[in-house]
Amino acid sequence: MSKIEEVKAKVEAGKSKLVPGLVQEALDAGIAPAEILQAMVDSMSVVGDKFSAGEIFVPEMLIAAKAMSKGVEVLKPLMAGDSSSSLGTCVIGTVAGDLHDIGKNLVSMMIESTGFEMVDLGVDVSADAFVEAVKNNANVKLVACSGLLTTTMPAMKEAVQTIKAAFPDLKVIVGGAPVTPEYAAEIGADGYAPDAGSASVKAKALVTV
C-alpha cells in the first residue's frame, strides 16, 4: 500500500491520531502537499457517499472529518502560499433563531476539505451578520446558510435575500432538514444540499463554474 493509499484508508477509518504522522511520511517521501490533500478530499468523498447511501451515520462522518482536519493541519503551513489550491472563502452559519450546530459543523468541515477557507459564524446568525462577514473577509465566494427548524425557514429566506441584495453575484447555498430544492430555488439560493457530502461537491461546483 502506497503512502497516499495509507493516508486515504486512515482518513476513511477516522484514525485521527495516525493521519498526521502518515501525512508527514508522505511528505518526506516527496509527495506534493496538493496531492496529499486531494487524496484526503477523495476519501471524504467516499465517506460522504457512504453517508448519503445510509451505510454510515453522523458519528462516523464526524470522526473521518476530524481525521482529515488533523492531516490538513500538517499541510496548511506548506500550502499557505499556494493559492491555486484555494477556492476562496466560504462564510457559514446557522440562521437566526436556530441553535443547531452539529450539521453545520459537519458541512463546514466537508466544504473546507474541498479547498475553501472557512469563516464560521456559529448559530443564530442574523441576515445582517452574514452580510457583515462577507464585507469583512477577503475573497468570499460562497455563503452557506443552515437551518434545522421549520420555524426558522423565514429567517433563512431573509438571510438569502439580504445577502443577494447586497452581493448579487455571490453564490449562496442552503441546507438542513426542512429545506427542499424547491424552497431553495424559491428563496433565491444558488444551491441546495441534502447532506454534508453533497454540500462539499455543490460548493465546489458553484464557484468553479
Side-chain angles (χ1 to χ4, degrees), residues 3-26:
K3 288 282 171 227
I4 280 270
E5 292 300 320
E6 269 187 71
V7 169
K8 285 173 91 161
K10 292 295 182 273
V11 167
E12 230 175 289
K15 304 289 184 193
S16 54
K17 287 201 174 80
L18 301 177
V19 169
L22 288 168
V23 168
Q24 192 57 56
E25 284 175 30

Side-chain angles (χ1 to χ4, degrees), residues 47-115:
V47 170
D49 289 345
K50 285 184 175 172
F51 178 74
S52 299
E55 291 170 33
I56 61 168
F57 301 98
V58 168
E60 291 92 338
M61 197 157 164
L62 280 170
I63 290 165
K66 184 181 177 193
M68 163 146 186
S69 67
K70 291 287 180 199
V72 170
E73 278 171 23
V74 178
L75 296 176
K76 257 192 180 153
L78 304 170
M79 299 187 69
D82 182 11
S83 62
S84 62
S85 64
S86 173
L87 295 171
T89 302
C90 172
V91 170
I92 190 168
T94 302
V95 299
D98 200 324
L99 303 175
H100 290 89
D101 68 351
I102 292 178
K104 186 253 313 152
N105 293 349
L106 194 51
V107 170
S108 182
M109 282 183 189
M110 290 296 284
I111 292 180
E112 183 173 29
S113 75
T114 62

